[in-house]
Amino acid sequence: MAKRNPHIGSDFDDFLSNEGLFEETTALALKRVIAWQLDEARKARGLSKKDMAERMNTSRAQLDRILDADDASLTLETLSRASRAVGRRVSVELAAA
């Protein structure tokens, strides 16, 4: 008799948790969305990356790291400065698991 697949009937979040990848995957997905939203807001306001970096009082290289969808290290302070630079505000909420 063939072995039953332990993942059948579970959801993708359960699979990621069982593999020890849930937090890392969630953080990366969230960073990708944030980076995309910041870049879209920058473009909508007609700001160059240089202009946005100046508004944030940071370097263009640091801004590139902020907008790098694969770099999940982003502090709330940096996120707040970036959002203000493009005329937005940050809203963070804890949701039930």
Side-chain angles (χ1 to χ4, degrees), residues 1 10 52 62:
M1 183 171 168
S10 65
M52 184 174 172
Q62 176 62 25

Side-chain angles (χ1 to χ4, degrees), residues 33-84:
V33 170
I34 290 169
W36 178 79
Q37 287 178 334
L38 285 171
D39 205 33
E40 289 298 305
R42 176 189 66 80
K43 291 173 187 174
R45 293 192 59 105
L47 295 173
S48 68
K49 287 184 178 181
K50 179 179 180 267
D51 293 336
M52 184 174 172
E54 287 175 359
R55 286 179 176 214
M56 293 177 62
N57 295 318
T58 193
S59 67
R60 167 75 192 273
Q62 176 62 25
L63 178 61
D64 284 339
R65 284 189 289 277
I66 293 166
L67 297 177
D68 180 358
D70 294 322
D71 182 353
S73 62
L74 179 65
T75 66
L76 291 175
E77 178 185 357
T78 303
L79 176 57
S80 181
R81 285 186 323 168
S83 64
R84 279 194 314 270

